Amino acid sequence: MFTRHTLLLAIGLPLAATGARAETPNDFLAGFAKEAQSADANFKGFSAQRGEQFFKARHGGEWSCASCHTERPGQIGRHAVTGKRIDALAPQANAERFTSRRQVEKWFKRNCNDVLDRACTAQEKGDVLAYLMTVKP
Amino acid sequence: MTKLAKPMFALLLLAGLGTPSAQADELRITARNATWQKECGACHVAYPPSLLPAASWREMMNTLDRHFGTDASLDAAQTKEILNFLTANAGRRAAVGKDGKPLQRITETNWFRHEHDEVPARLWKDARVKSPANCAACHQKAEAGDYGERSLRLPK
């Protein structure tokens, strides 16, 4: 335990010193996996196919994720109410996506409430991200 | 006052009254804040603070988790920063609904209705406009805070 903490400290300190750390989609995927594992001991990894179905389905409400991000999230989307342009969501099409914890947490919180009327599980978030990472521009 | 100063003073006064300063303020928005621009502007044009009174902005920033049918919640620090910016630059006209509560929709204010009373009804329903919330459908430079008539183009 001691060595593990020391190792974390050794990695964490230089990162903290450089300020906000830029993250990658894979970092978020790993984080969701860890969260899903602790929520469910039978967690068996993420599925891009399941993520795609989740993304395109309505979940009892008026909207799906695709209502704004379109069924081709490598392309530009439009806000379902205001018509405002939404930059592509797939990381291969838009390098800014899934690089900021603040942004990722903010949008999952908001959009899961809008589409599902509840928070998304780590399994759902990981599946959707796994799907988005396969989408070409 | 000297003989010359009196007419000069009157002239200045006239000039002052003549310049549409109040109007110009509404057509060209100069107050800016990076957080307001980025966060409010993520889903719609970052609406100018002068278009609603402070009471309306307070109510809005207090209910961001139920913002016109969507969850638009922000963290506490950003909410506070944006609210401060909005109230510091808020409009002075009262905007109260029939229920006595501060209006939330800019399009329901007397000012907005008056300014847009010549816009034909079919235009509001045009697919390219989609919603009266879509300022930039006609105000080509809305993103830059310019709502002047020169940059106004109605979809044909």
Side-chain angles (χ1 to χ4, degrees), chain A residues 54-59 63-70 89 111 115-116 128:
Chain A
F54 183 91
F55 189 88
K56 294 178 176 174
R58 296 201 296 181
H59 301 264
W63 291 346
S64 67
C65 308
S67 300
C68 295
H69 294 294
T70 82
L89 182 58
N111 294 355
V115 172
L116 298 103
V128 166

Side-chain angles (χ1 to χ4, degrees), chain B residues 41-116:
Chain B
C43 299
H44 49 68
V45 172
Y47 299 121
S50 57
L51 300 190
L52 285 175
S56 293
W57 291 126
R58 269 187 221 107
E59 173 69 13
M60 196 169 305
M61 296 306 287
N62 271 332
T63 55
L64 276 183
D65 57 331
R66 289 160 283 131
H67 187 69
F68 301 98
T70 71
D71 181 344
S73 50
L74 286 167
D75 67 39
Q78 287 185 316
T79 306
K80 195 175 169 204
E81 180 187 347
I82 293 172
L83 178 61
N84 286 345
F85 166 73
L86 291 170
T87 51
N89 298 283
R92 294 197 186 91
R93 285 184 211 85
V96 179
K98 283 179 188 138
D99 56 0
K101 289 184 182 162
L103 279 181
Q104 300 289 287
R105 287 186 194 275
I106 292 166
T107 50
E108 288 175 1
T109 63
N110 290 333
W111 170 83
F112 183 95
R113 288 168 193 263
H114 176 72
E115 288 292 321
H116 296 83

Side-chain angles (χ1 to χ4, degrees), chain A residues 63 78-86 102-103 106-107 109-111 113-114, chain B residues 38-39 41-45 69-75 78 130-131 134 143:
Chain A
W63 291 346
R78 296 257 166 228
H79 193 284
V81 176
T82 68
K84 171 109 182 176
R85 174 197 157 106
I86 297 173
R102 195 179 198 180
Q103 292 293 324
K106 177 180 75 179
W107 286 110
K109 174 182 187 289
R110 291 173 164 188
N111 294 355
N113 268 336
D114 289 344
Chain B
K38 179 167 187 283
E39 296 302 334
C43 299
H44 49 68
V45 172
T70 71
D71 181 344
S73 50
L74 286 167
D75 67 39
Q78 287 185 316
K130 202 170 160 68
S131 154
N134 186 7
E143 290 286 349

Side-chain angles (χ1 to χ4, degrees), chain A residues 26-36 46 101 122:
Chain A
N26 272 318
D27 293 337
F28 285 102
L29 212 53
F32 293 142
K34 210 171 162 187
E35 220 182 301
F46 297 125
R101 179 160 304 278

